[in-house]
PDB file of all heavy atoms in Angstrom:
ATOM      1  N   LEU A  52      31.778 -23.269  32.925  1.00 98.00           N
ATOM      2  CA  LEU A  52      32.421 -22.091  33.510  1.00 98.00           C
ATOM      3  C   LEU A  52      33.551 -22.554  34.419  1.00 98.00           C
ATOM      4  O   LEU A  52      33.333 -23.366  35.322  1.00 98.00           O
ATOM      5  CB  LEU A  52      31.387 -21.288  34.314  1.00 98.00           C
ATOM      6  CG  LEU A  52      31.920 -20.105  35.109  1.00 98.00           C
ATOM      7  CD1 LEU A  52      32.534 -19.056  34.188  1.00 98.00           C
ATOM      8  CD2 LEU A  52      30.804 -19.485  35.938  1.00 98.00           C
ATOM      9  N   THR A  53      34.756 -22.069  34.186  1.00 98.00           N
ATOM     10  CA  THR A  53      35.876 -22.338  35.088  1.00 98.00           C
ATOM     11  C   THR A  53      36.321 -21.008  35.658  1.00 98.00           C
ATOM     12  O   THR A  53      36.462 -20.025  34.936  1.00 98.00           O
ATOM     13  CB  THR A  53      37.055 -23.009  34.346  1.00 98.00           C
ATOM     14  OG1 THR A  53      37.454 -22.163  33.276  1.00 98.00           O
ATOM     15  CG2 THR A  53      36.659 -24.358  33.792  1.00 98.00           C
ATOM     16  N   THR A  54      36.529 -20.994  36.969  1.00 98.00           N
ATOM     17  CA  THR A  54      36.918 -19.746  37.625  1.00 98.00           C
ATOM     18  C   THR A  54      37.545 -20.084  38.972  1.00 98.00           C
ATOM     19  O   THR A  54      37.878 -21.237  39.235  1.00 98.00           O
ATOM     20  CB  THR A  54      35.690 -18.815  37.782  1.00 98.00           C
ATOM     21  OG1 THR A  54      36.127 -17.548  38.310  1.00 98.00           O
ATOM     22  CG2 THR A  54      34.624 -19.412  38.682  1.00 98.00           C
ATOM     23  N   THR A  55      37.742 -19.073  39.802  1.00 98.00           N
ATOM     24  CA  THR A  55      38.224 -19.295  41.163  1.00 98.00           C
ATOM     25  C   THR A  55      37.255 -18.654  42.143  1.00 98.00           C
ATOM     26  O   THR A  55      36.580 -17.676  41.802  1.00 98.00           O
ATOM     27  CB  THR A  55      39.630 -18.685  41.383  1.00 98.00           C
ATOM     28  OG1 THR A  55      39.588 -17.304  41.039  1.00 98.00           O
ATOM     29  CG2 THR A  55      40.676 -19.393  40.546  1.00 98.00           C
ATOM     30  N   LEU A  56      37.171 -19.223  43.346  1.00 98.00           N
ATOM     31  CA  LEU A  56      36.367 -18.648  44.432  1.00 98.00           C
ATOM     32  C   LEU A  56      37.302 -18.215  45.549  1.00 98.00           C
ATOM     33  O   LEU A  56      38.328 -18.859  45.793  1.00 98.00           O
ATOM     34  CB  LEU A  56      35.384 -19.685  44.978  1.00 98.00           C
ATOM     35  CG  LEU A  56      34.306 -20.209  44.040  1.00 98.00           C
ATOM     36  CD1 LEU A  56      33.402 -21.169  44.798  1.00 98.00           C
ATOM     37  CD2 LEU A  56      33.511 -19.066  43.441  1.00 98.00           C
ATOM     38  N   ARG A  57      36.914 -17.148  46.241  1.00 97.00           N
ATOM     39  CA  ARG A  57      37.704 -16.708  47.395  1.00 97.00           C
ATOM     40  C   ARG A  57      37.540 -17.696  48.541  1.00 97.00           C
ATOM     41  O   ARG A  57      36.447 -18.219  48.770  1.00 97.00           O
ATOM     42  CB  ARG A  57      37.242 -15.322  47.855  1.00 97.00           C
ATOM     43  CG  ARG A  57      37.970 -14.209  47.122  1.00 97.00           C
ATOM     44  CD  ARG A  57      37.505 -12.882  47.593  1.00 97.00           C
ATOM     45  NE  ARG A  57      36.135 -12.681  47.100  1.00 97.00           N
ATOM     46  CZ  ARG A  57      35.373 -11.667  47.429  1.00 97.00           C
ATOM     47  NH1 ARG A  57      35.790 -10.774  48.275  1.00 97.00           N
ATOM     48  NH2 ARG A  57      34.170 -11.541  46.915  1.00 97.00           N
ATOM     49  N   CYS A  58      38.608 -17.901  49.280  1.00 97.00           N
ATOM     50  CA  CYS A  58      38.593 -18.787  50.444  1.00 97.00           C
ATOM     51  C   CYS A  58      38.697 -17.964  51.723  1.00 97.00           C
ATOM     52  O   CYS A  58      39.104 -16.791  51.698  1.00 97.00           O
ATOM     53  CB  CYS A  58      39.754 -19.772  50.375  1.00 97.00           C
ATOM     54  SG  CYS A  58      39.665 -20.874  48.960  1.00 97.00           S
ATOM     55  N   GLY A  62      43.002 -16.686  50.191  1.00 95.00           N
ATOM     56  CA  GLY A  62      43.454 -17.263  48.925  1.00 95.00           C
ATOM     57  C   GLY A  62      42.264 -17.598  48.038  1.00 95.00           C
ATOM     58  O   GLY A  62      41.139 -17.131  48.276  1.00 95.00           O
ATOM     59  N   VAL A  63      42.515 -18.405  47.029  1.00 97.00           N
ATOM     60  CA  VAL A  63      41.448 -18.808  46.109  1.00 97.00           C
ATOM     61  C   VAL A  63      41.513 -20.309  45.866  1.00 97.00           C
ATOM     62  O   VAL A  63      42.531 -20.945  46.130  1.00 97.00           O
ATOM     63  CB  VAL A  63      41.533 -18.065  44.753  1.00 97.00           C
ATOM     64  CG1 VAL A  63      41.318 -16.577  44.920  1.00 97.00           C
ATOM     65  CG2 VAL A  63      42.865 -18.351  44.059  1.00 97.00           C
ATOM     66  N   VAL A  64      40.414 -20.851  45.361  1.00 97.00           N
ATOM     67  CA  VAL A  64      40.370 -22.254  44.963  1.00 97.00           C
ATOM     68  C   VAL A  64      39.767 -22.327  43.554  1.00 97.00           C
ATOM     69  O   VAL A  64      38.804 -21.612  43.246  1.00 97.00           O
ATOM     70  CB  VAL A  64      39.556 -23.111  45.966  1.00 97.00           C
ATOM     71  CG1 VAL A  64      38.114 -22.644  46.080  1.00 97.00           C
ATOM     72  CG2 VAL A  64      39.603 -24.593  45.583  1.00 97.00           C
ATOM     73  N   ALA A  65      40.376 -23.153  42.699  1.00 98.00           N
ATOM     74  CA  ALA A  65      39.869 -23.326  41.329  1.00 98.00           C
ATOM     75  C   ALA A  65      38.592 -24.164  41.351  1.00 98.00           C
ATOM     76  O   ALA A  65      38.528 -25.184  42.047  1.00 98.00           O
ATOM     77  CB  ALA A  65      40.927 -24.009  40.466  1.00 98.00           C
ATOM     78  N   VAL A  66      37.588 -23.711  40.601  1.00 98.00           N
ATOM     79  CA  VAL A  66      36.299 -24.411  40.546  1.00 98.00           C
ATOM     80  C   VAL A  66      35.787 -24.426  39.110  1.00 98.00           C
ATOM     81  O   VAL A  66      36.300 -23.717  38.245  1.00 98.00           O
ATOM     82  CB  VAL A  66      35.228 -23.733  41.442  1.00 98.00           C
ATOM     83  CG1 VAL A  66      35.668 -23.723  42.893  1.00 98.00           C
ATOM     84  CG2 VAL A  66      34.907 -22.334  40.948  1.00 98.00           C
ATOM     85  N   LYS A  67      34.743 -25.237  38.896  1.00 98.00           N
ATOM     86  CA  LYS A  67      34.077 -25.240  37.589  1.00 98.00           C
ATOM     87  C   LYS A  67      32.624 -25.663  37.773  1.00 98.00           C
ATOM     88  O   LYS A  67      32.271 -26.258  38.796  1.00 98.00           O
ATOM     89  CB  LYS A  67      34.783 -26.165  36.613  1.00 98.00           C
ATOM     90  CG  LYS A  67      34.680 -27.620  36.996  1.00 98.00           C
ATOM     91  CD  LYS A  67      35.207 -28.498  35.885  1.00 98.00           C
ATOM     92  CE  LYS A  67      34.896 -29.951  36.196  1.00 98.00           C
ATOM     93  NZ  LYS A  67      34.976 -30.825  35.070  1.00 98.00           N
ATOM     94  N   MET A  81      29.098 -15.540  37.266  1.00 98.00           N
ATOM     95  CA  MET A  81      30.331 -15.001  37.851  1.00 98.00           C
ATOM     96  C   MET A  81      30.014 -14.030  38.980  1.00 98.00           C
ATOM     97  O   MET A  81      30.684 -14.037  40.022  1.00 98.00           O
ATOM     98  CB  MET A  81      31.161 -14.293  36.775  1.00 98.00           C
ATOM     99  CG  MET A  81      31.873 -15.213  35.831  1.00 98.00           C
ATOM    100  SD  MET A  81      33.111 -16.225  36.665  1.00 98.00           S
ATOM    101  CE  MET A  81      34.251 -14.997  37.238  1.00 98.00           C
ATOM    102  N   LEU A  84      29.054 -16.043  42.015  1.00 97.00           N
ATOM    103  CA  LEU A  84      30.201 -16.748  42.594  1.00 97.00           C
ATOM    104  C   LEU A  84      31.170 -15.785  43.271  1.00 97.00           C
ATOM    105  O   LEU A  84      31.843 -16.147  44.240  1.00 97.00           O
ATOM    106  CB  LEU A  84      30.911 -17.567  41.517  1.00 97.00           C
ATOM    107  CG  LEU A  84      30.067 -18.703  40.923  1.00 97.00           C
ATOM    108  CD1 LEU A  84      30.794 -19.373  39.771  1.00 97.00           C
ATOM    109  CD2 LEU A  84      29.719 -19.725  41.998  1.00 97.00           C
ATOM    110  N   ASN A  85      31.225 -14.546  42.776  1.00 97.00           N
ATOM    111  CA  ASN A  85      32.119 -13.560  43.397  1.00 97.00           C
ATOM    112  C   ASN A  85      31.675 -13.181  44.807  1.00 97.00           C
ATOM    113  O   ASN A  85      32.453 -12.616  45.571  1.00 97.00           O
ATOM    114  CB  ASN A  85      32.217 -12.298  42.527  1.00 97.00           C
ATOM    115  CG  ASN A  85      33.144 -12.505  41.351  1.00 97.00           C
ATOM    116  OD1 ASN A  85      33.974 -13.417  41.364  1.00 97.00           O
ATOM    117  ND2 ASN A  85      33.002 -11.673  40.332  1.00 97.00           N
ATOM    118  N   GLN A  86      30.423 -13.492  45.167  1.00 96.00           N
ATOM    119  CA  GLN A  86      29.912 -13.195  46.512  1.00 96.00           C
ATOM    120  C   GLN A  86      30.312 -14.269  47.521  1.00 96.00           C
ATOM    121  O   GLN A  86      30.170 -14.078  48.723  1.00 96.00           O
ATOM    122  CB  GLN A  86      28.372 -13.106  46.499  1.00 96.00           C
ATOM    123  CG  GLN A  86      27.791 -12.158  45.468  1.00 96.00           C
ATOM    124  CD  GLN A  86      28.252 -10.734  45.695  1.00 96.00           C
ATOM    125  OE1 GLN A  86      28.233 -10.258  46.815  1.00 96.00           O
ATOM    126  NE2 GLN A  86      28.691 -10.085  44.625  1.00 96.00           N
ATOM    127  N   MET A  87      30.780 -15.385  47.042  1.00 97.00           N
ATOM    128  CA  MET A  87      31.032 -16.530  47.932  1.00 97.00           C
ATOM    129  C   MET A  87      32.405 -16.459  48.598  1.00 97.00           C
ATOM    130  O   MET A  87      33.364 -15.973  48.006  1.00 97.00           O
ATOM    131  CB  MET A  87      30.961 -17.849  47.140  1.00 97.00           C
ATOM    132  CG  MET A  87      29.580 -18.222  46.682  1.00 97.00           C
ATOM    133  SD  MET A  87      29.604 -19.786  45.765  1.00 97.00           S
ATOM    134  CE  MET A  87      30.188 -20.913  47.022  1.00 97.00           C
ATOM    135  N   VAL A  89      34.652 -19.412  50.535  1.00 97.00           N
ATOM    136  CA  VAL A  89      34.653 -20.851  50.777  1.00 97.00           C
ATOM    137  C   VAL A  89      35.407 -21.178  52.068  1.00 97.00           C
ATOM    138  O   VAL A  89      36.580 -20.789  52.206  1.00 97.00           O
ATOM    139  CB  VAL A  89      35.319 -21.580  49.586  1.00 97.00           C
ATOM    140  CG1 VAL A  89      35.376 -23.071  49.834  1.00 97.00           C
ATOM    141  CG2 VAL A  89      34.584 -21.268  48.300  1.00 97.00           C
ATOM    142  N   LEU A  99      30.553 -27.001  46.102  1.00 98.00           N
ATOM    143  CA  LEU A  99      30.630 -25.737  46.834  1.00 98.00           C
ATOM    144  C   LEU A  99      29.381 -24.884  46.642  1.00 98.00           C
ATOM    145  O   LEU A  99      29.157 -23.941  47.401  1.00 98.00           O
ATOM    146  CB  LEU A  99      31.881 -24.969  46.410  1.00 98.00           C
ATOM    147  CG  LEU A  99      33.195 -25.763  46.580  1.00 98.00           C
ATOM    148  CD1 LEU A  99      34.375 -24.968  46.056  1.00 98.00           C
ATOM    149  CD2 LEU A  99      33.408 -26.147  48.035  1.00 98.00           C
ATOM    150  N   ILE A 108      28.547 -26.393  41.548  1.00 98.00           N
ATOM    151  CA  ILE A 108      29.911 -25.868  41.410  1.00 98.00           C
ATOM    152  C   ILE A 108      30.832 -26.789  42.196  1.00 98.00           C
ATOM    153  O   ILE A 108      30.587 -27.037  43.388  1.00 98.00           O
ATOM    154  CB  ILE A 108      30.017 -24.428  41.969  1.00 98.00           C
ATOM    155  CG1 ILE A 108      29.041 -23.497  41.237  1.00 98.00           C
ATOM    156  CG2 ILE A 108      31.451 -23.915  41.876  1.00 98.00           C
ATOM    157  CD1 ILE A 108      29.314 -23.307  39.768  1.00 98.00           C
ATOM    158  N   GLN A 112      40.603 -28.381  42.876  1.00 97.00           N
ATOM    159  CA  GLN A 112      41.904 -28.554  43.519  1.00 97.00           C
ATOM    160  C   GLN A 112      41.697 -28.737  45.022  1.00 97.00           C
ATOM    161  O   GLN A 112      40.621 -28.424  45.551  1.00 97.00           O
ATOM    162  CB  GLN A 112      42.814 -27.346  43.263  1.00 97.00           C
ATOM    163  CG  GLN A 112      42.360 -26.083  43.978  1.00 97.00           C
ATOM    164  CD  GLN A 112      43.324 -24.915  43.774  1.00 97.00           C
ATOM    165  OE1 GLN A 112      42.920 -23.899  43.250  1.00 97.00           O
ATOM    166  NE2 GLN A 112      44.571 -25.064  44.191  1.00 97.00           N
TER     167      GLN A 112
END
Side-chain angles (χ1 to χ4, degrees):
L52 174 62
T53 57
T54 186
T55 55
L56 296 183
R57 272 180 289 174
C58 297
V63 296
V64 60
V66 300
K67 67 171 189 162
M81 285 296 296
L84 296 174
N85 282 341
Q86 307 299 314
M87 290 180 62
V89 178
L99 304 176
I108 301 296
Q112 69 177 120

